[in-house]
Amino acid sequence: QVQLVESGGGSVYSGGSLKISCQASRYTTCMGWFRQAPGKEREALVGHYSVDSTVTYYDESAKGRFTVSRDTSKTLSLQMNSLKPEDTAIYYCAAGPNITHCRWNYWGQGTQVTVSS
């Protein structure tokens, strides 16, 4: 089992920045960020594969504004810039092994990010 704890969520105005972090209880090859906006399904944002530091952006709207970094073997952060009201969501950290692709077996409880116009 892997426990994931997110931190750093909060409220900002449109155009602002926020950094959220995820602490894992042990190392996994894949860590990533997902989000779920009110009334919508959870969507994938970005994944990080530690073996070769490959970063995969699953959401085109995040590319260029959001930057993921694997700060340590067990921590993943997401720097979010130029935030928009539509970025308002609960942001979840996920982790797991790589078996042909990243398997998101473990999930954190989420951290709320609210962007006001």
mmCIF file of all heavy atoms in Angstrom, residues 79-114:
data_model
loop_
_atom_site.group_PDB
_atom_site.id
_atom_site.type_symbol
_atom_site.label_atom_id
_atom_site.label_comp_id
_atom_site.label_asym_id
_atom_site.label_seq_id
_atom_site.Cartn_x
_atom_site.Cartn_y
_atom_site.Cartn_z
ATOM 1 N N GLN A 79 3.377 23.069 -9.975
ATOM 2 C CA GLN A 79 3.352 24.514 -9.992
ATOM 3 C C GLN A 79 2.347 24.952 -11.043
ATOM 4 O O GLN A 79 2.482 24.614 -12.225
ATOM 5 C CB GLN A 79 4.739 25.073 -10.325
ATOM 6 C CG GLN A 79 4.800 26.575 -10.470
ATOM 7 C CD GLN A 79 4.546 27.295 -9.162
ATOM 8 O OE1 GLN A 79 5.088 26.941 -8.125
ATOM 9 N NE2 GLN A 79 3.694 28.316 -9.199
ATOM 10 N N MET A 80 1.338 25.692 -10.601
ATOM 11 C CA MET A 80 0.274 26.114 -11.508
ATOM 12 C C MET A 80 0.314 27.633 -11.657
ATOM 13 O O MET A 80 0.194 28.356 -10.668
ATOM 14 C CB MET A 80 -1.081 25.667 -10.956
ATOM 15 C CG MET A 80 -1.173 24.163 -10.756
ATOM 16 S SD MET A 80 -2.791 23.637 -10.162
ATOM 17 C CE MET A 80 -2.728 24.234 -8.472
ATOM 18 N N ASN A 81 0.496 28.087 -12.861
ATOM 19 C CA ASN A 81 0.554 29.516 -13.166
ATOM 20 C C ASN A 81 -0.601 29.910 -14.078
ATOM 21 O O ASN A 81 -1.239 29.052 -14.695
ATOM 22 C CB ASN A 81 1.886 29.861 -13.840
ATOM 23 C CG ASN A 81 3.077 29.549 -12.963
ATOM 24 O OD1 ASN A 81 3.026 29.700 -11.737
ATOM 25 N ND2 ASN A 81 4.163 29.113 -13.589
ATOM 26 N N SER A 82 -0.849 31.203 -14.142
ATOM 27 C CA SER A 82 -1.917 31.727 -15.013
ATOM 28 C C SER A 82 -3.224 30.991 -14.786
ATOM 29 O O SER A 82 -3.901 30.569 -15.734
ATOM 30 C CB SER A 82 -1.503 31.625 -16.484
ATOM 31 O OG SER A 82 -0.292 32.319 -16.728
ATOM 32 N N LEU A 83 -3.572 30.829 -13.534
ATOM 33 C CA LEU A 83 -4.768 30.061 -13.197
ATOM 34 C C LEU A 83 -6.036 30.754 -13.683
ATOM 35 O O LEU A 83 -6.114 31.995 -13.718
ATOM 36 C CB LEU A 83 -4.822 29.825 -11.699
ATOM 37 C CG LEU A 83 -3.863 28.737 -11.197
ATOM 38 C CD1 LEU A 83 -3.661 28.848 -9.694
ATOM 39 C CD2 LEU A 83 -4.392 27.367 -11.570
ATOM 40 N N LYS A 84 -7.001 29.926 -14.056
ATOM 41 C CA LYS A 84 -8.281 30.412 -14.579
ATOM 42 C C LYS A 84 -9.402 29.856 -13.702
ATOM 43 O O LYS A 84 -9.230 28.811 -13.056
ATOM 44 C CB LYS A 84 -8.480 29.914 -16.005
ATOM 45 C CG LYS A 84 -7.333 30.230 -16.947
ATOM 46 C CD LYS A 84 -7.542 29.551 -18.284
ATOM 47 C CE LYS A 84 -6.368 29.789 -19.222
ATOM 48 N NZ LYS A 84 -6.549 29.116 -20.536
ATOM 49 N N PRO A 85 -10.552 30.514 -13.696
ATOM 50 C CA PRO A 85 -11.674 29.986 -12.899
ATOM 51 C C PRO A 85 -12.008 28.533 -13.251
ATOM 52 O O PRO A 85 -12.413 27.760 -12.369
ATOM 53 C CB PRO A 85 -12.816 30.936 -13.263
ATOM 54 C CG PRO A 85 -12.128 32.230 -13.549
ATOM 55 C CD PRO A 85 -10.862 31.835 -14.257
ATOM 56 N N GLU A 86 -11.823 28.142 -14.485
ATOM 57 C CA GLU A 86 -12.131 26.760 -14.870
ATOM 58 C C GLU A 86 -11.122 25.751 -14.338
ATOM 59 O O GLU A 86 -11.302 24.542 -14.507
ATOM 60 C CB GLU A 86 -12.231 26.627 -16.398
ATOM 61 C CG GLU A 86 -11.061 27.211 -17.170
ATOM 62 C CD GLU A 86 -11.340 28.627 -17.661
ATOM 63 O OE1 GLU A 86 -11.912 29.438 -16.885
ATOM 64 O OE2 GLU A 86 -10.961 28.924 -18.820
ATOM 65 N N ASP A 87 -10.059 26.236 -13.695
ATOM 66 C CA ASP A 87 -9.117 25.331 -13.022
ATOM 67 C C ASP A 87 -9.604 24.959 -11.624
ATOM 68 O O ASP A 87 -8.985 24.128 -10.951
ATOM 69 C CB ASP A 87 -7.736 25.984 -12.911
ATOM 70 C CG ASP A 87 -7.070 26.180 -14.260
ATOM 71 O OD1 ASP A 87 -7.135 25.257 -15.099
ATOM 72 O OD2 ASP A 87 -6.477 27.259 -14.472
ATOM 73 N N THR A 88 -10.686 25.575 -11.189
ATOM 74 C CA THR A 88 -11.253 25.254 -9.882
ATOM 75 C C THR A 88 -11.659 23.799 -9.837
ATOM 76 O O THR A 88 -12.432 23.325 -10.682
ATOM 77 C CB THR A 88 -12.471 26.148 -9.592
ATOM 78 O OG1 THR A 88 -12.038 27.507 -9.484
ATOM 79 C CG2 THR A 88 -13.152 25.716 -8.296
ATOM 80 N N ALA A 89 -11.109 23.075 -8.868
ATOM 81 C CA ALA A 89 -11.359 21.634 -8.766
ATOM 82 C C ALA A 89 -10.699 21.095 -7.515
ATOM 83 O O ALA A 89 -9.933 21.806 -6.851
ATOM 84 C CB ALA A 89 -10.796 20.908 -9.989
ATOM 85 N N ILE A 90 -10.994 19.851 -7.227
ATOM 86 C CA ILE A 90 -10.224 19.106 -6.233
ATOM 87 C C ILE A 90 -9.099 18.418 -7.009
ATOM 88 O O ILE A 90 -9.355 17.711 -7.990
ATOM 89 C CB ILE A 90 -11.082 18.081 -5.492
ATOM 90 C CG1 ILE A 90 -12.212 18.797 -4.742
ATOM 91 C CG2 ILE A 90 -10.217 17.286 -4.508
ATOM 92 C CD1 ILE A 90 -13.194 17.856 -4.071
ATOM 93 N N TYR A 91 -7.886 18.636 -6.565
ATOM 94 C CA TYR A 91 -6.719 18.067 -7.223
ATOM 95 C C TYR A 91 -6.248 16.848 -6.439
ATOM 96 O O TYR A 91 -6.014 16.927 -5.229
ATOM 97 C CB TYR A 91 -5.612 19.114 -7.328
ATOM 98 C CG TYR A 91 -5.895 20.130 -8.410
ATOM 99 C CD1 TYR A 91 -6.936 21.050 -8.260
ATOM 100 C CD2 TYR A 91 -5.165 20.157 -9.589
ATOM 101 C CE1 TYR A 91 -7.235 21.966 -9.266
ATOM 102 C CE2 TYR A 91 -5.442 21.075 -10.598
ATOM 103 C CZ TYR A 91 -6.484 21.970 -10.424
ATOM 104 O OH TYR A 91 -6.781 22.876 -11.413
ATOM 105 N N TYR A 92 -6.109 15.750 -7.150
ATOM 106 C CA TYR A 92 -5.731 14.487 -6.536
ATOM 107 C C TYR A 92 -4.354 14.034 -7.010
ATOM 108 O O TYR A 92 -4.043 14.113 -8.202
ATOM 109 C CB TYR A 92 -6.730 13.390 -6.898
ATOM 110 C CG TYR A 92 -8.120 13.603 -6.372
ATOM 111 C CD1 TYR A 92 -9.083 14.265 -7.126
ATOM 112 C CD2 TYR A 92 -8.485 13.136 -5.115
ATOM 113 C CE1 TYR A 92 -10.366 14.454 -6.654
ATOM 114 C CE2 TYR A 92 -9.771 13.315 -4.619
ATOM 115 C CZ TYR A 92 -10.702 13.988 -5.394
ATOM 116 O OH TYR A 92 -11.970 14.170 -4.908
ATOM 117 N N CYS A 93 -3.598 13.549 -6.089
ATOM 118 C CA CYS A 93 -2.331 12.902 -6.401
ATOM 119 C C CYS A 93 -2.596 11.409 -6.570
ATOM 120 O O CYS A 93 -3.404 10.829 -5.830
ATOM 121 C CB CYS A 93 -1.347 13.142 -5.267
ATOM 122 S SG CYS A 93 0.266 12.351 -5.477
ATOM 123 N N ALA A 94 -1.923 10.807 -7.530
ATOM 124 C CA ALA A 94 -2.046 9.372 -7.760
ATOM 125 C C ALA A 94 -0.664 8.772 -7.961
ATOM 126 O O ALA A 94 0.273 9.471 -8.367
ATOM 127 C CB ALA A 94 -2.932 9.097 -8.967
ATOM 128 N N ALA A 95 -0.553 7.494 -7.700
ATOM 129 C CA ALA A 95 0.740 6.829 -7.830
ATOM 130 C C ALA A 95 0.538 5.352 -8.143
ATOM 131 O O ALA A 95 -0.547 4.799 -7.925
ATOM 132 C CB ALA A 95 1.559 6.985 -6.556
ATOM 133 N N GLY A 96 1.616 4.741 -8.655
ATOM 134 C CA GLY A 96 1.531 3.314 -8.935
ATOM 135 C C GLY A 96 2.712 2.849 -9.744
ATOM 136 O O GLY A 96 3.614 3.629 -10.069
ATOM 137 N N PRO A 97 2.719 1.585 -10.121
ATOM 138 C CA PRO A 97 3.813 1.025 -10.910
ATOM 139 C C PRO A 97 3.617 1.319 -12.392
ATOM 140 O O PRO A 97 2.551 1.781 -12.815
ATOM 141 C CB PRO A 97 3.675 -0.473 -10.631
ATOM 142 C CG PRO A 97 2.198 -0.656 -10.461
ATOM 143 C CD PRO A 97 1.715 0.585 -9.758
ATOM 144 N N ASN A 98 4.656 1.056 -13.148
ATOM 145 C CA ASN A 98 4.565 1.136 -14.594
ATOM 146 C C ASN A 98 4.534 -0.278 -15.160
ATOM 147 O O ASN A 98 5.508 -1.027 -15.039
ATOM 148 C CB ASN A 98 5.741 1.909 -15.183
ATOM 149 C CG ASN A 98 5.658 2.023 -16.696
ATOM 150 O OD1 ASN A 98 6.040 1.103 -17.419
ATOM 151 N ND2 ASN A 98 5.134 3.120 -17.180
ATOM 152 N N ILE A 99 3.393 -0.665 -15.708
ATOM 153 C CA ILE A 99 3.244 -1.970 -16.356
ATOM 154 C C ILE A 99 2.685 -1.680 -17.734
ATOM 155 O O ILE A 99 1.485 -1.518 -17.913
ATOM 156 C CB ILE A 99 2.311 -2.884 -15.553
ATOM 157 C CG1 ILE A 99 2.799 -3.000 -14.105
ATOM 158 C CG2 ILE A 99 2.230 -4.261 -16.211
ATOM 159 C CD1 ILE A 99 1.848 -3.731 -13.196
ATOM 160 N N THR A 100 3.566 -1.547 -18.698
ATOM 161 C CA THR A 100 3.289 -1.058 -20.067
ATOM 162 C C THR A 100 2.906 0.421 -20.053
ATOM 163 O O THR A 100 3.192 1.155 -20.990
ATOM 164 C CB THR A 100 2.221 -1.875 -20.814
ATOM 165 O OG1 THR A 100 0.950 -1.660 -20.232
ATOM 166 C CG2 THR A 100 2.569 -3.348 -20.791
ATOM 167 N N HIS A 101 2.251 0.836 -19.036
ATOM 168 C CA HIS A 101 1.991 2.271 -18.812
ATOM 169 C C HIS A 101 1.745 2.462 -17.332
ATOM 170 O O HIS A 101 1.617 1.489 -16.588
ATOM 171 C CB HIS A 101 0.812 2.767 -19.659
ATOM 172 C CG HIS A 101 -0.482 2.057 -19.386
ATOM 173 N ND1 HIS A 101 -1.336 2.419 -18.367
ATOM 174 C CD2 HIS A 101 -1.062 0.994 -19.985
ATOM 175 C CE1 HIS A 101 -2.372 1.628 -18.357
ATOM 176 N NE2 HIS A 101 -2.242 0.749 -19.322
ATOM 177 N N CYS A 102 1.662 3.698 -16.907
ATOM 178 C CA CYS A 102 1.462 3.980 -15.486
ATOM 179 C C CYS A 102 0.095 3.464 -15.040
ATOM 180 O O CYS A 102 -0.914 3.702 -15.695
ATOM 181 C CB CYS A 102 1.567 5.478 -15.212
ATOM 182 S SG CYS A 102 3.268 6.104 -15.276
ATOM 183 N N ARG A 103 0.100 2.787 -13.904
ATOM 184 C CA ARG A 103 -1.129 2.251 -13.319
ATOM 185 C C ARG A 103 -1.406 3.057 -12.056
ATOM 186 O O ARG A 103 -0.644 3.012 -11.111
ATOM 187 C CB ARG A 103 -0.960 0.778 -12.968
ATOM 188 C CG ARG A 103 -0.480 -0.079 -14.129
ATOM 189 C CD ARG A 103 -1.485 -0.167 -15.259
ATOM 190 N NE ARG A 103 -0.973 -0.943 -16.373
ATOM 191 C CZ ARG A 103 -1.613 -1.940 -16.943
ATOM 192 N NH1 ARG A 103 -2.806 -2.314 -16.492
ATOM 193 N NH2 ARG A 103 -1.071 -2.570 -17.953
ATOM 194 N N TRP A 104 -2.483 3.763 -12.045
ATOM 195 C CA TRP A 104 -2.824 4.649 -10.932
ATOM 196 C C TRP A 104 -3.583 3.885 -9.867
ATOM 197 O O TRP A 104 -4.803 3.987 -9.753
ATOM 198 C CB TRP A 104 -3.583 5.856 -11.445
ATOM 199 C CG TRP A 104 -2.861 6.553 -12.555
ATOM 200 C CD1 TRP A 104 -3.226 6.636 -13.858
ATOM 201 C CD2 TRP A 104 -1.602 7.256 -12.448
ATOM 202 N NE1 TRP A 104 -2.282 7.347 -14.574
ATOM 203 C CE2 TRP A 104 -1.289 7.731 -13.740
ATOM 204 C CE3 TRP A 104 -0.720 7.520 -11.398
ATOM 205 C CZ2 TRP A 104 -0.122 8.458 -14.004
ATOM 206 C CZ3 TRP A 104 0.440 8.241 -11.662
ATOM 207 C CH2 TRP A 104 0.731 8.709 -12.952
ATOM 208 N N ASN A 105 -2.849 3.106 -9.085
ATOM 209 C CA ASN A 105 -3.449 2.234 -8.084
ATOM 210 C C ASN A 105 -3.753 2.925 -6.768
ATOM 211 O O ASN A 105 -4.577 2.438 -5.989
ATOM 212 C CB ASN A 105 -2.518 1.050 -7.804
ATOM 213 C CG ASN A 105 -2.349 0.157 -9.016
ATOM 214 O OD1 ASN A 105 -3.126 0.211 -9.962
ATOM 215 N ND2 ASN A 105 -1.325 -0.673 -9.006
ATOM 216 N N TYR A 106 -3.038 4.008 -6.499
ATOM 217 C CA TYR A 106 -3.153 4.652 -5.200
ATOM 218 C C TYR A 106 -3.547 6.119 -5.379
ATOM 219 O O TYR A 106 -3.073 6.789 -6.298
ATOM 220 C CB TYR A 106 -1.818 4.553 -4.441
ATOM 221 C CG TYR A 106 -1.296 3.143 -4.380
ATOM 222 C CD1 TYR A 106 -0.238 2.731 -5.180
ATOM 223 C CD2 TYR A 106 -1.879 2.215 -3.512
ATOM 224 C CE1 TYR A 106 0.230 1.433 -5.141
ATOM 225 C CE2 TYR A 106 -1.418 0.915 -3.471
ATOM 226 C CZ TYR A 106 -0.357 0.531 -4.283
ATOM 227 O OH TYR A 106 0.094 -0.753 -4.232
ATOM 228 N N TRP A 107 -4.388 6.581 -4.461
ATOM 229 C CA TRP A 107 -4.927 7.939 -4.561
ATOM 230 C C TRP A 107 -4.874 8.661 -3.228
ATOM 231 O O TRP A 107 -5.067 8.047 -2.176
ATOM 232 C CB TRP A 107 -6.383 7.889 -5.032
ATOM 233 C CG TRP A 107 -6.520 7.357 -6.409
ATOM 234 C CD1 TRP A 107 -6.603 6.052 -6.785
ATOM 235 C CD2 TRP A 107 -6.568 8.125 -7.617
ATOM 236 N NE1 TRP A 107 -6.695 5.954 -8.148
ATOM 237 C CE2 TRP A 107 -6.688 7.210 -8.687
ATOM 238 C CE3 TRP A 107 -6.533 9.488 -7.904
ATOM 239 C CZ2 TRP A 107 -6.761 7.621 -10.019
ATOM 240 C CZ3 TRP A 107 -6.616 9.902 -9.218
ATOM 241 C CH2 TRP A 107 -6.725 8.974 -10.260
ATOM 242 N N GLY A 108 -4.629 9.970 -3.302
ATOM 243 C CA GLY A 108 -4.726 10.795 -2.115
ATOM 244 C C GLY A 108 -6.153 11.255 -1.899
ATOM 245 O O GLY A 108 -7.049 10.947 -2.703
ATOM 246 N N GLN A 109 -6.364 12.004 -0.839
ATOM 247 C CA GLN A 109 -7.700 12.483 -0.501
ATOM 248 C C GLN A 109 -8.088 13.733 -1.282
ATOM 249 O O GLN A 109 -9.270 14.084 -1.352
ATOM 250 C CB GLN A 109 -7.778 12.774 1.001
ATOM 251 C CG GLN A 109 -7.653 11.524 1.863
ATOM 252 C CD GLN A 109 -8.777 10.547 1.590
ATOM 253 O OE1 GLN A 109 -9.948 10.894 1.669
ATOM 254 N NE2 GLN A 109 -8.431 9.304 1.268
ATOM 255 N N GLY A 110 -7.094 14.378 -1.857
ATOM 256 C CA GLY A 110 -7.379 15.563 -2.667
ATOM 257 C C GLY A 110 -7.168 16.861 -1.909
ATOM 258 O O GLY A 110 -7.253 16.905 -0.684
ATOM 259 N N THR A 111 -6.893 17.898 -2.669
ATOM 260 C CA THR A 111 -6.758 19.240 -2.109
ATOM 261 C C THR A 111 -7.524 20.215 -2.998
ATOM 262 O O THR A 111 -7.451 20.133 -4.228
ATOM 263 C CB THR A 111 -5.271 19.650 -1.968
ATOM 264 O OG1 THR A 111 -5.180 20.898 -1.293
ATOM 265 C CG2 THR A 111 -4.562 19.753 -3.312
ATOM 266 N N GLN A 112 -8.276 21.096 -2.367
ATOM 267 C CA GLN A 112 -9.142 22.010 -3.101
ATOM 268 C C GLN A 112 -8.354 23.194 -3.643
ATOM 269 O O GLN A 112 -7.587 23.830 -2.920
ATOM 270 C CB GLN A 112 -10.258 22.521 -2.193
ATOM 271 C CG GLN A 112 -11.188 23.540 -2.842
ATOM 272 C CD GLN A 112 -12.095 22.924 -3.891
ATOM 273 O OE1 GLN A 112 -12.711 21.888 -3.657
ATOM 274 N NE2 GLN A 112 -12.185 23.555 -5.062
ATOM 275 N N VAL A 113 -8.571 23.488 -4.910
ATOM 276 C CA VAL A 113 -8.020 24.696 -5.533
ATOM 277 C C VAL A 113 -9.203 25.495 -6.074
ATOM 278 O O VAL A 113 -10.003 24.973 -6.852
ATOM 279 C CB VAL A 113 -7.046 24.344 -6.677
ATOM 280 C CG1 VAL A 113 -6.662 25.597 -7.464
ATOM 281 C CG2 VAL A 113 -5.811 23.650 -6.126
ATOM 282 N N THR A 114 -9.297 26.731 -5.638
ATOM 283 C CA THR A 114 -10.390 27.596 -6.074
ATOM 284 C C THR A 114 -9.810 28.851 -6.721
ATOM 285 O O THR A 114 -8.983 29.534 -6.122
ATOM 286 C CB THR A 114 -11.287 27.998 -4.899
ATOM 287 O OG1 THR A 114 -11.796 26.812 -4.270
ATOM 288 C CG2 THR A 114 -12.451 28.850 -5.374
#
